[in-house]
Structure formats: structure tokens, C-alpha cells
Amino acid sequence: MQNFTRTNFEHLEKVRNRSIRVARSCKDLRDRYDEREDGVYYLTTGNGMLYQTYCDMTTAGGGWTLVASVHENSVYGRCTVGDRWSSQQGSNADLPDGDGNWSNRNTFGTVESATADDFKNPGYYDITAEDMSVWHIPNNFPLEFWNMEAAAVLRYHTENRFLRLYGGNLFQLFKQYPVRYNVGSCGDRGPAIPIVYDHGDKESTRMLYGPNSRREFEPGFITFRAINWESAAMAICSGVKPTVGCNTEHYCIGGGGYFNPEEQCGDFPSFDYDRLGKEQGWSASKEMTEAAVLLFYR
Amino acid sequence: MQNFTRTNFEHLEKVRNRSIRVARSCKDLRDRYDEREDGVYYLTTGNGMLYQTYCDMTTAGGGWTLVASVHENSVYGRCTVGDRWSSQQGSNADLPDGDGNWSNRNTFGTVESATADDFKNPGYYDITAEDMSVWHIPNNFPLEFWNMEAAAVLRYHTENRFLRLYGGNLFQLFKQYPVRYNVGSCGDRGPAIPIVYDHGDKESTRMLYGPNSRREFEPGFITFRAINWESAAMAICSGVKPTVGCNTEHYCIGGGGYFNPEEQCGDFPSFDYDRLGKEQGWSASKEMTEAAVLLFYR
Amino acid sequence: MQNFTRTNFEHLEKVRNRSIRVARSCKDLRDRYDEREDGVYYLTTGNGMLYQTYCDMTTAGGGWTLVASVHENSVYGRCTVGDRWSSQQGSNADLPDGDGNWSNRNTFGTVESATADDFKNPGYYDITAEDMSVWHIPNNFPLEFWNMEAAAVLRYHTENRFLRLYGGNLFQLFKQYPVRYNVGSCGDRGPAIPIVYDHGDKESTRMLYGPNSRREFEPGFITFRAINWESAAMAICSGVKPTVGCNTEHYCIGGGGYFNPEEQCGDFPSFDYDRLGKEQGWSASKEMTEAAVLLFYR
């Protein structure tokens, strides 16, 4: 049972040697060292803190750094342990920001577990970027197969360099548009940015959310900081722009620390409203509900 | 107060130099680089993710990689914060798998805190192995003394290469035998593998569990995925094979997300049934209850 | 949008090269390699486990290692998720030590998030030191500006080498003076050590705590293991020595696992007693309540 073949060894040696690179993003690795292979690389922050993450060196020219994943560990949870992208303190109006991870420097998880648990690395706040790419990958899917296009439920990227207008990353963008309970009303949404599809299209995006939700949004966008009728804030509406109505808890992810009713509180706030993964009423599809949302910068 | 002597420095330099090795397991380090010393080494996953763990380079030929520890932070807890090997979401039949860490790629903890908190490193799912070794080490015991045989409450290993039949590691084995509430009944246990003792024997194993438990198991084995009368699943019965009766919550560890009654939910489910560490009725001994369970692969 | 300039690159290369040092503390780095710059460095434990932390190479001769930060994620929390320096298990007399992190080898957090979340690195238990330095830095303040003296709410260090008497670090000190509910009464305090101010003075220290608290303490000290009227234990009274009365929950931080009333349980136990950050009655000032407490050894 030889599990460490020569090929394996040579591959690992190559990966090990990558660690001598000094780069602050996958784009740096591509531009400066001409790295062209998807996989795990070392990066360092401006202060010299080292970490490992995944680089997509292929899509639309490559140079995409994985900085975070949003993973719903339990739609039955209500802002309980594991809801790091909303709150782990229970739905509580005294904590309008919840855990605050959309706009602080906390980090958690590892790159290889990014489809099995929440992940946030220092690149989230340290990299200055222009565009974003988003991959919805089924829960527990292994890293070595993430880049198979067919694996993804949905994949897209922006190309209008919108992050230039918002400080260069989500850490800065969400300072301007706080993910906070009671910060404004439904009309006070953040930017909605047009997307270019890498897997899926507008019609397939529509079908990923519940029939009732489909009446409320337009596909082909990524939207930041939505607010629902009950003044709860969400961070990202992936693939869509809310247009009519404000029931964004059924199709936007992440959140502040308070939702009413409290069973909506969580990383995928109320994707299971009319029954988990049944794609009826307001409920999102099973594939969407059981996929992690991987966020990349370039 | 010179705390950094020449010896100390030379030792650390040697350890630092180990970091240039490219190896995926302690067995690789022994076979490829002839490393013979117990201690902390770098390993890397197949994808190139780096981590540090402890290698036992001595027992029965050495080459054992520490991949996990199960530590009960509070037998009073009931699937609350810290119960990563069962559930941190409260006992909840809607979450039959609990945190799911027996069969996902999440990792947590550090090697030096493996006797003070739960630990799981990438080796758990990344290494392809044949045998296992288990050390029960008193809580908070420092790493530099783990290999003193007398330190252990119990130590043993398998030698029949059973992991070949189950995918090469626990990550794969528990896909075949899910640690999930209501997945089967008492008879649907996973494999029971004979063990070779490195510290302790069959009789001392018996005495580590409660008097009532002793009537239900046969010592000299490690058993995977036990199920009790109430359909709760446990992951490992360390040192024993259940034979008669199904009150496995008193002598098996880890679990799914639901136990009835709920006070049994936890990493050491109901080791304290008849009073904590009193070794009466169903209660396990104090030494067993207050020791971390270190899991090694080779 | 070039975010990776030549200067930036050279800085990162320099930081990268630091990683080849073999040192167990910032003092070693200063003494052995003549490192003089504040910032992030690699250190290694006696067992060879590697980690990154911040070195203050300036204050009073430099050589100070950041080993921990105490951050209050929510004064509304009551020993809930995030209260790692007291308990995450709820206020519970059955768990007198709470999470036990003052005297175990668990670690958590990263150096760059030390003002945004709790932080504890292996240096906490691994380094043998003589003195301590404490910085109160506003929450979410970025690492690159920590050393601006004006940034701090309060900064001081000891210079009498008191840690020599208590095992060389807090890990050992708190074995002698456990942070445990019901371990003694108000008079059984641990050592109170005189401090030298680096930012602030005795009068400014007084004003950081509530008007009622000011009648109970003398500024100009750091005190370890205080006990209040209700037998709850706290870990550190920063900047002060309790003298009259035992309402230490209003001005000391960290704790065991039980407080009565339970709403006092938490990392900053009852800093908000008479209203959060209002500096009235027993309530500490807003600046103190919203600052992380960074702990250094030398």
C-alpha cells in the first residue's frame, strides 16, 4: 500500500518550493512569477503574516485569490455555533452587527475545509482588488476537483473593476455598507454589479431560488448589503439583484445579528422557509442550500 | 534567567531543519528520511497544505502520525461549545450527524494542545494508512512527556492492516459507517478490530469502565460506530467490543447529533451516568474520563 | 491599481527572511539576531511548533513578545461563544474553571486579529519571562499602527522581574492562583505588581473605570487573580490594585466559569453594570470597554 509515489513526491516538492515566493495575492503570483496552475499557494499580508489559500489561475486570465467561503452548517441553527457570517450569539437586537466578520480582521477555517465549514483568510482584508469571482460548490467537495466546471452549481465573475470604487475589497465595502440590523430600509441597498457567467446563465440562476423569490429579483448581478422588510441586513445576493419586494432573507446570504422572526437568523438566513431544499414557495433549491459560496478577489 | 541555552538552540535548529522535508505522513518521514525521534514534524497534504503534528517513531517500528484527539471539555456539557466530536448545536434530532467531523475535512486545535482540547489535523482525511494506534493521555499532559509509557492510562495499536478494507483512514471508514442518529439499530455495529497492548492489558482495560459496563463488552478490541438502545450513534469504543446489551453511551466516545436523554449528548456521551469518575454503576473511571484519546495512523 | 510596489516587495522579502531565525521569544530575536524593528516575527516553541506573533522591539529596550489579547466580543454575552477568557458554557457552578484558558495550552486567534477577537499563542505557556507589558488598544485597530503611542488607551510595563517568582509566565502563575469560582474569598488575591507607565498615568488610569470603582482600588499596579464578594474569580486587574471592597467584577478582566448574578459572566465581567460605556456608577469608560487588552512577556 504505497501511498507516496514518485509522482506524488515530485508534485509535493513543487508545491513546497512555491512557499519561497513572496506574494500578496494570486494575481501577484501570476504576474510576478508566472504561476499558471490552479491549486494551493502561500501568500503573505502586508505585515508579513503567512497563510495558504487556493488560486484559480485559469478563469478569464487567472489570478483569482480565494479569500472566503460561506457555508451553512445547519439551516436549523438560528445564529448558533457555526454561523460566523451572521451571529453565533443568537438573534439579538442588542448585537446589530452580530459577529461582525464582514468588516473585521478575524479569520477562521482552512483552505481544504472551505466547502465543509466557513473560511476566511487574511486576504479578505489585506488584498486590494478590482473584481470578484464566486463559485457555489457542493458541500464537502474536495479541493482537487473544485476547478471542474461541472462541479459547480453556479460560477461567475465581475469585470467592471467595481471594487476600485469601494476601497478594494469587501472589508472596505462593508464599512461603507454595514451589514447591521436597523441600519436602513429596503431601498438602502449597496451596489448591484453585473456578472459574467462561467457556469450557468440567467435562467439557471433564477431556478436556484424559490418560485416566490423569482418574482422579486433580476438575475445576472451580484448585490451587496440588502435589507428586508423587517430591517435585517444581509451581505450578498449571489447572482441576483433585488427589484420588487424586500423578502431578501430567502435568497441573500450572510447577515447582521438580528432577524425577526428569529428562526431566519443564520448564514443562509431563510433559504428553508417553505421546507428545506424543496424549491417551493420561498424555499431555495436543494443544490443551492447545500453548496458553499466561495469568494475570490482579483 | 537564561531560557535559551545552546542545547536548546541546537535542538530547535534541528527541528527547524525538519521543515524542509516533503512528507505526507510520519511513515514517509521514517521510510524516506530515516527520522527516528519522537516529536513534532511538518507534514503536507496531497494538495500541498502544510501542518505540524506529532510522530511516534518508536512504538512497534515507529512511523505513527497523530491525526486527532478526542477531549471532553465538560461532561456537564450537552452537545455544547467544545463538543466537536459529537455536536455543538445541542442534542437535536433534526441534526442527526451533529457537527459531522468524523467524516468531513474540518480541522481544529494544535498539536501542543491535543491533551487540552479537541484536535484534528488534515492527516485525518489525507493520509492513507493501514493500522491505528490509540493513546489515552491525562488531560493537559505536556507533549514532551507523552511518550513516557507510564504517562498513559492505556496504549495499544492494531496490526492486521484493517484500514485497507475501509478506505485507508477514519474519514473513509465513517462514510461506510456513518456516525448518525437513527442510522440503524444496536446490531449494526461497524468493525471490531483486535489490539496489541503497549501499556495496559485486557484486565486493566475492563477496570477503566464502570462495573455495569463490564458485563456488556469484551476487552482487547477497538470498535467503530456503535449504536445504543435509543438509536444514538457513537464513533469509537476504545479497547473494547460490545457484546451483550447496547448501553454503549457509557463506554464509547464521539457521536452524532442526537441522544435521548439529551444529557447523554457529548464527546464522552454518558461516562458520568452514576456520578462523575466514581467507577460505580455505569460510570467510567476518573482516569479514563479525564484523559484525552489520541488517535494515530500508520 | 498596482498594490504591490517595489517597496512593498522588499519589505515582504525582509519579513520572509526573518522566518529562518530560530528563536523562542522576541527577546531571543533581539539578543541573538539584533532585530530592532516592531512587527510580525516567527517564533518556535521548545517542541518545535512554529507560530507568528508581534514583537515590540522599542519600549524600554524592546524584546517584548505579544502572547495574548483579551477582547470583549459582546458585553451582552453571558459566558457565551467568544468568551474564551472566562467560559463559553454559560455561567455554571459545576464548571468552576470555565474554559480554563488561563492555565492550559489551548491557543486561538491570529496576531493580525488580536484587536478584533481573543488571541492566545503558544508563547503564553512556552516562554519563560521576567516582566510583562500591557497595551489597551481600541478594538479593530490595525497591527501596523499599534505602536503609535497615541493609539493606546493605556500602556505600561513592569520592571521588577516578578515573573521569576511565579514560574516565568502566566500559565504557571495561574496554576498557583487558579482563576476558579469559589477558590477563596476576597482577601485571597494574587500578587499586585507596580507598573511603569508608557502611555497614561495613575490619574488617567483611575478615570478609565467607573466612579464607584475608583473608591475601591489604587492605580499604578497590575493585579492577578482577584476574587469578588460572590466568590467569583477574575484573572487580571489592569492598572490597579483592589484595596477596599470586593466589587472587582467592574474593573478586572477574565474569569472562571461562574458568576452570580450570571449576567456578570464574561471576559469583561461587569464593565457595563450601570450602563454600557457610560462611566457612571460602576460602569467602566467607553474607551476601556471597547479596547482589547494585549499582554506581552519579556
Side-chain angles (χ1 to χ4, degrees):
Chain A
M1 201 168 205
Q2 176 69 9
N3 74 65
F4 197 64
T5 63
R6 170 167 298 276
T7 322
N8 200 323
F9 178 74
E10 281 165 4
H11 172 67
L12 289 178
E13 255 199 328
K14 196 173 60 181
V15 170
R16 198 264 322 276
N17 289 338
R18 288 177 185 164
S19 74
I20 63 165
R21 310 291 187 227
V22 171
R24 218 166 142 179
S25 69
C26 297
K27 187 169 181 305
D28 289 339
L29 284 169
R30 200 201 50 170
D31 294 352
R32 185 177 288 272
Y33 302 105
D34 201 36
E35 296 279 6
R36 296 278 168 191
E37 211 176 316
D38 296 350
V40 173
Y41 291 83
Y42 280 93
L43 297 176
T44 178
T45 68
N47 291 316
M49 202 168 78
L50 199 72
Y51 63 102
Q52 287 191 292
T53 194
Y54 182 85
C55 294
D56 165 12
M57 295 308 206
T58 317
T59 305
W64 301 96
T65 310
L66 176 66
V67 298
S69 78
V70 183
H71 171 265
E72 180 51 88
N73 64 323
S74 160
V75 287
Y76 298 104
R78 294 162 180 191
C79 284
T80 46
V81 177
D83 286 325
R84 295 179 194 82
W85 292 111
S86 47
S87 178
Q88 301 185 97
Q89 302 286 331
S91 188
N92 183 346
D94 283 336
L95 299 171
D97 294 291
D99 279 20
N101 286 319
W102 293 102
S103 51
N104 67 24
R105 288 181 185 80
N106 288 350
T107 54
F108 36 82
T110 66
V111 60
E112 286 197 338
S113 62
T115 58
D117 203 358
D118 292 333
F119 177 48
K120 184 184 171 195
N121 64 41
Y124 181 88
Y125 58 81
D126 184 71
I127 295 172
T128 305
E130 299 178 332
D131 279 302
M132 280 188 66
S133 165
V134 179
W135 297 11
H136 292 252
I137 304 281
N139 286 344
N140 298 313
F141 215 74
L143 180 145
E144 53 270 37
F145 302 121
W146 291 350
N147 61 358
M148 292 169 52
E149 193 204 309
V153 174
L154 172 66
R155 269 175 62 171
Y156 60 82
H157 66 276
T158 69
E159 56 175 23
N160 69 355
R161 306 189 170 187
F162 77 102
L163 283 173
R164 286 185 175 205
L165 304 176
Y166 302 101
N169 54 46
L170 293 180
F171 176 76
Q172 296 295 344
L173 185 151
F174 287 120
K175 287 194 183 300
Q176 288 176 51
Y177 295 95
V179 185
R180 181 181 296 150
Y181 171 65
N182 216 13
V183 76
S185 59
C186 174
D188 300 320
R189 272 194 295 277
I193 310 299
I195 59 176
V196 177
Y197 283 97
D198 297 305
H199 179 73
D201 55 26
K202 288 189 184 185
E203 188 50 25
S204 68
T205 301
R206 270 172 50 77
M207 302 307 287
L208 292 172
Y209 297 105
N212 293 3
S213 303
R214 291 171 208 160
R215 296 183 209 123
E216 289 208 355
F217 62 63
E218 182 185 344
F221 294 85
I222 179 170
T223 305
F224 300 94
R225 217 283 301 274
I227 296 175
N228 72 6
W229 291 120
E230 296 81 11
S231 302
M234 278 130 274
I236 293 180
C237 310
S238 181
V240 302
K241 173 171 72 174
T243 50
V244 181
C246 296
N247 299 293
T248 52
E249 68 275 16
H250 304 304
Y251 54 95
C252 304
I253 61 172
Y258 184 66
F259 283 75
N260 177 10
E262 68 168 31
E263 52 266 38
Q264 298 186 347
C265 207
D267 287 355
F268 284 16
S270 185
F271 275 44
D272 61 333
Y273 189 75
D274 281 307
R275 221 167 132 209
L276 174 58
K278 286 299 178 197
E279 212 176 330
Q280 61 192 17
W282 292 102
S283 290
S285 67
K286 187 174 160 64
E287 11 172 13
M288 201 63 168
T289 306
E290 299 183 349
V293 186
L294 275 54
L295 306 177
F296 295 80
Y297 291 162
R298 179 175 72 184
Chain B
M1 203 169 203
Q2 177 70 11
N3 72 67
F4 198 65
T5 62
R6 168 167 298 277
T7 322
N8 201 324
F9 178 75
E10 282 165 5
H11 172 67
L12 288 178
E13 257 199 327
K14 194 173 59 180
V15 171
R16 199 265 321 277
N17 291 338
R18 287 177 186 165
S19 74
I20 63 164
R21 309 293 187 226
V22 171
R24 219 166 142 180
S25 70
C26 298
K27 187 168 181 303
D28 289 338
L29 284 169
R30 200 201 51 170
D31 293 352
R32 185 177 289 272
Y33 303 105
D34 201 36
E35 295 280 6
R36 297 278 167 191
E37 211 176 314
D38 295 351
V40 173
Y41 291 83
Y42 281 93
L43 296 176
T44 177
T45 67
N47 291 313
M49 203 168 78
L50 200 72
Y51 63 102
Q52 288 190 292
T53 194
Y54 181 84
C55 294
D56 165 12
M57 296 307 206
T58 317
T59 306
W64 301 95
T65 310
L66 176 66
V67 298
S69 78
V70 183
H71 170 264
E72 180 49 89
N73 65 322
S74 161
V75 287
Y76 299 104
R78 294 164 182 189
C79 285
T80 48
V81 178
D83 285 326
R84 294 179 195 83
W85 291 112
S86 47
S87 178
Q88 301 184 98
Q89 304 285 331
S91 189
N92 183 346
D94 283 336
L95 299 171
D97 294 291
D99 280 18
N101 285 320
W102 292 102
S103 51
N104 68 22
R105 288 181 185 79
N106 288 349
T107 54
F108 35 82
T110 65
V111 59
E112 285 196 339
S113 62
T115 58
D117 203 357
D118 291 333
F119 178 47
K120 184 185 170 194
N121 64 40
Y124 181 86
Y125 58 82
D126 184 71
I127 295 172
T128 305
E130 300 178 331
D131 279 301
M132 281 188 64
S133 165
V134 179
W135 298 11
H136 293 252
I137 304 281
N139 286 344
N140 299 312
F141 215 75
L143 180 146
E144 53 271 37
F145 302 121
W146 291 349
N147 61 357
M148 293 168 53
E149 192 204 309
V153 174
L154 172 66
R155 268 175 63 170
Y156 59 84
H157 65 277
T158 68
E159 55 176 22
N160 68 355
R161 306 189 169 187
F162 76 103
L163 283 173
R164 287 185 174 205
L165 304 176
Y166 302 100
N169 54 46
L170 293 181
F171 176 75
Q172 297 295 344
L173 184 152
F174 288 121
K175 288 195 182 300
Q176 288 176 51
Y177 295 94
V179 185
R180 180 182 296 151
Y181 170 64
N182 216 14
V183 75
S185 60
C186 175
D188 301 319
R189 272 193 296 277
I193 311 298
I195 59 177
V196 176
Y197 283 97
D198 297 305
H199 179 73
D201 55 27
K202 289 189 183 184
E203 188 50 27
S204 69
T205 301
R206 270 172 50 77
M207 302 307 286
L208 292 172
Y209 297 104
N212 293 3
S213 304
R214 289 170 210 162
R215 295 182 209 123
E216 289 208 355
F217 61 65
E218 182 186 343
F221 295 85
I222 178 170
T223 305
F224 301 93
R225 219 281 303 273
I227 296 175
N228 72 5
W229 291 119
E230 295 81 12
S231 302
M234 278 130 272
I236 293 179
C237 310
S238 181
V240 302
K241 173 171 73 174
T243 49
V244 181
C246 297
N247 300 292
T248 52
E249 68 274 16
H250 304 304
Y251 55 94
C252 303
I253 61 172
Y258 183 66
F259 282 75
N260 177 9
E262 69 168 31
E263 53 265 38
Q264 297 186 347
C265 208
D267 286 355
F268 284 16
S270 187
F271 275 45
D272 60 333
Y273 189 76
D274 281 306
R275 223 168 132 207
L276 174 57
K278 285 302 177 194
E279 211 176 332
Q280 62 192 17
W282 293 102
S283 290
S285 67
K286 187 174 161 64
E287 14 173 10
M288 201 62 167
T289 306
E290 300 184 350
V293 186
L294 275 55
L295 307 177
F296 294 80
Y297 291 163
R298 179 174 72 182
Chain C
M1 203 166 206
Q2 178 70 9
N3 74 64
F4 197 65
T5 62
R6 170 167 299 275
T7 323
N8 201 323
F9 179 75
E10 282 165 3
H11 172 66
L12 288 178
E13 257 200 326
K14 196 173 59 182
V15 170
R16 198 263 323 273
N17 290 338
R18 286 177 187 164
S19 73
I20 63 163
R21 310 292 187 227
V22 171
R24 218 166 142 178
S25 70
C26 299
K27 186 167 183 304
D28 289 338
L29 284 168
R30 201 201 51 171
D31 293 353
R32 184 176 289 271
Y33 303 104
D34 201 36
E35 296 279 6
R36 295 279 168 192
E37 212 176 316
D38 295 351
V40 173
Y41 291 83
Y42 280 93
L43 297 176
T44 179
T45 67
N47 291 315
M49 203 169 77
L50 199 72
Y51 63 102
Q52 287 191 293
T53 194
Y54 182 85
C55 294
D56 165 13
M57 295 307 206
T58 318
T59 305
W64 300 95
T65 309
L66 176 65
V67 298
S69 79
V70 183
H71 171 265
E72 180 50 89
N73 65 323
S74 161
V75 287
Y76 298 105
R78 292 162 182 190
C79 285
T80 46
V81 178
D83 285 326
R84 295 179 194 82
W85 292 111
S86 46
S87 178
Q88 301 184 97
Q89 303 285 332
S91 188
N92 183 346
D94 283 336
L95 299 171
D97 294 291
D99 279 19
N101 286 319
W102 292 102
S103 51
N104 67 24
R105 289 181 185 80
N106 289 349
T107 55
F108 36 81
T110 66
V111 60
E112 285 196 341
S113 62
T115 59
D117 203 358
D118 292 333
F119 178 49
K120 183 184 171 194
N121 64 40
Y124 181 88
Y125 59 80
D126 184 71
I127 295 172
T128 305
E130 298 178 332
D131 279 301
M132 281 188 65
S133 166
V134 179
W135 297 11
H136 292 252
I137 304 281
N139 286 344
N140 299 313
F141 215 74
L143 179 146
E144 53 270 37
F145 303 121
W146 290 351
N147 61 357
M148 292 168 52
E149 193 203 309
V153 174
L154 172 66
R155 267 175 64 171
Y156 59 83
H157 64 277
T158 69
E159 55 175 24
N160 69 356
R161 307 189 168 186
F162 76 102
L163 283 173
R164 286 185 175 205
L165 303 176
Y166 302 101
N169 54 45
L170 293 180
F171 176 77
Q172 296 295 344
L173 184 151
F174 288 121
K175 287 194 183 299
Q176 289 176 51
Y177 295 95
V179 185
R180 180 182 298 151
Y181 170 65
N182 215 14
V183 75
S185 60
C186 175
D188 300 319
R189 271 193 295 278
I193 310 298
I195 59 178
V196 176
Y197 282 96
D198 297 304
H199 179 74
D201 55 27
K202 289 188 182 185
E203 187 50 25
S204 68
T205 301
R206 270 172 49 78
M207 301 307 286
L208 291 172
Y209 298 104
N212 293 5
S213 303
R214 290 171 208 159
R215 294 183 210 124
E216 289 208 354
F217 61 65
E218 181 184 345
F221 295 85
I222 179 170
T223 305
F224 300 94
R225 218 283 304 272
I227 295 175
N228 73 5
W229 291 120
E230 295 82 11
S231 302
M234 278 130 272
I236 293 178
C237 310
S238 181
V240 303
K241 174 171 73 176
T243 48
V244 180
C246 297
N247 300 291
T248 53
E249 68 275 16
H250 304 304
Y251 54 94
C252 304
I253 62 173
Y258 184 66
F259 283 74
N260 177 9
E262 69 167 31
E263 54 264 39
Q264 297 186 348
C265 206
D267 286 355
F268 285 15
S270 186
F271 275 45
D272 61 333
Y273 189 76
D274 282 307
R275 222 168 133 208
L276 175 57
K278 286 301 177 196
E279 212 176 329
Q280 62 192 16
W282 293 102
S283 290
S285 66
K286 187 173 162 63
E287 15 173 9
M288 201 62 167
T289 306
E290 300 183 350
V293 187
L294 275 55
L295 307 177
F296 295 81
Y297 291 163
R298 178 174 73 183

